[in-house]
């Protein structure tokens, strides 16, 4: 792997790591920034997939170099548009949450906590199951 490609791979790794870390935060603005970082990382991955630069993908160009693959460039453009649309939607949700609640933190779901506590209590109360895989083979 050459020097510039290695730098791009490391950049993609940092963008994905920072993006996933921010997505796991409770603040909606950090979630939006994390999603944007993931989008930028995905765009760099698509550009890396395109390989080295080549001649323009036009027929009859008479160039000695091989033609560049236009598909990764089209995919990167599509990813940019999708990331922009989802980011705008997430910003609208964060703004609406801020206006309604006065903060941008995601609150705990009380019902989810209750269900988790109930399942945990049921698993503690239930006797441990003894499962022997050999008995299963003999009967069937």
């Amino acid at each position: 792997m050459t020097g510039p490609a290695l730098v791009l791979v490391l950049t993609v790794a940092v963008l994905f790591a920072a993006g996933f870390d921010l997505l796991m935060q409770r603040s909606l603005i950090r979630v939006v920034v994390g999603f944007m970082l993931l989008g930028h990382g995905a765009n760099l991955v698509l550009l890396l997939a395109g390989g080295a630069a080549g001649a323009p993908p036009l027929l009859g160009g008479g160039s000695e170099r091989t033609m560049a693959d236009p598909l990764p460039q089209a995919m990167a453009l599509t990813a940019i548009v999708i990331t922009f649309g989802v980011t705008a939607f997430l910003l609208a949700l964060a703004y609406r949450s801020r206006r309604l609640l006065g903060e941008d933190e995601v609150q705990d779901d009380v019902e989810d906590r209750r269900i988790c506590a109930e399942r945990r209590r049921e698993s503690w109360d239930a006797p441990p199951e003894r499962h022997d895989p050999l008995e299963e083979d003999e009967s069937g």
Side-chain angles (χ1 to χ4, degrees):
M1 186 172 283
T2 62
L6 183 62
V7 170
L8 284 176
V9 168
L10 291 175
T11 304
V12 167
V14 168
L15 285 173
F16 276 131
F20 281 123
D21 183 51
L22 288 173
L23 275 177
M24 297 296 124
Q25 302 294 320
R26 297 180 66 84
S27 172
L28 290 176
I29 295 300
R30 289 184 183 181
V31 169
V32 172
V33 172
F35 181 78
M36 290 171 52
L37 289 177
L38 285 176
H40 293 310
N43 291 334
L44 282 179
V45 165
L46 290 171
L47 291 178
L48 277 171
L58 302 172
L59 296 177
S63 176
E64 297 173 7
R65 298 184 305 173
T66 59
M67 279 195 268
D69 187 12
L71 184 62
Q73 297 171 13
M75 296 294 285
L77 183 60
T78 304
I80 289 170
V81 171
I82 290 171
T83 302
F84 177 74
V86 173
T87 301
F89 179 68
L90 289 175
L91 281 173
L93 286 178
Y95 175 75
R96 183 72 176 162
S97 175
R98 174 80 176 169
R99 294 285 294 184
L100 288 176
L101 302 175
E103 60 184 353
D104 70 338
E105 279 200 18
V106 178
Q107 297 179 359
D108 287 335
D109 187 9
V110 178
E111 184 68 15
D112 187 41
R113 280 187 167 186
R114 186 189 64 78
I115 291 172
C116 287
E118 185 176 313
R119 284 187 183 165
R120 195 175 306 125
R121 194 175 327 109
E122 287 174 0
S123 67
W124 286 339
D125 293 341
E129 292 185 18
R130 303 284 184 204
H131 179 69
D132 189 7
L134 294 177
E135 290 177 4
E136 200 171 274
D137 289 339
E138 292 173 2
S139 64

